[in-house]
Amino acid sequence: LRREVWRLGLRYRVDARDVPGRPDIVFRGAKVAVFVDGDFWHGRDLARRLAKLARGHNAPYWVAKIEGNVQRDERKTTELELAGWRVLRFWESDIYASAEMLARVIRDEVAKRIEATPRPRE
């Protein structure tokens, strides 16, 4: 995904420790934070995944782990949005399927946010 975003001419930061949730890709000027969520660790198809985990080895640990990750993701998204950030979250399998399309989604959102930013008068 980062390669495709770069190919579109966008420049970004990675590993921004000062941004809540530590997004995978950060556009500071546009205040856009992009997260790449692993299907397993972040609970894609959560009900199905939890049902399967509940039948497996060490079920209480894994159910609590995935539920905790999902709750943390929701908290960090809310925290960023309240601070004026636009949060984009993509599932890893969707990126594998269509990184180019998702890169265009990011490009369009960054452009929209930059256009909406008031410019100082000269």
Side-chain angles (χ1 to χ4, degrees), residues 1-3 5-6 9-36 76 80 83-90 106-107 109-111 113-114:
L1 181 63
R2 289 192 334 221
R3 182 176 25 239
V5 169
W6 189 271
L10 294 167
R11 300 303 176 249
Y12 51 82
R13 296 282 178 236
V14 296
D15 196 30
R17 296 172 192 245
D18 61 323
V19 180
R22 205 161 158 194
D24 297 289
I25 303 172
V26 174
F27 300 92
R28 288 187 190 276
K31 290 187 89 169
V32 174
V34 180
F35 291 88
V36 174
K76 293 303 175 181
L80 283 165
W85 286 78
R86 173 68 166 105
V87 178
L88 302 174
R89 288 188 173 273
F90 301 111
I106 293 169
R107 179 198 58 202
E109 189 62 37
V110 168
R113 297 278 298 201
I114 288 172

